[in-house]
Amino acid sequence: MSDKPLLNYDVIDNTDQKRFEIHVDGHIAFEAYEFFTTSQGEDGIAYTHTEVPEALGGQGIAGYLAKSILDDAAAKNLRVKPICPYIKAYIDKHPEYQDNSIFHKATP
């Protein structure tokens, strides 16, 4: 048994600001995004910037957000362009997302 609590945050798609957000205790962690089309004509989503306020640091929020948005992209058949270094590093460490990333194995 693990002493770590299971993380369960609501991830909100703020389409006006083009970012996925997690709201906790008056703070907002987010991943900015933009849409694109691959050279093969496939729809894609580029993750451009991850931000977690210092007050929320060390709680696993960035990792939770990364997993949530990558799972969401896969469910929507969107290719992923991890411009944000955090998202690219997350994909580097989680091979299950590499086939969908144009910086890894997917056709750009």
Side-chain angles (χ1 to χ4, degrees), residues 70-82:
L70 291 168
D71 287 345
D72 183 66
K76 293 177 178 172
N77 292 315
L78 295 173
R79 290 293 185 207
V80 169
K81 184 189 296 184

Side-chain angles (χ1 to χ4, degrees), residues 85-96:
Y86 181 84
I87 299 297
K88 183 181 179 305
Y90 187 92
I91 295 171
D92 289 345
K93 293 176 189 168
H94 296 87
E96 66 269 27

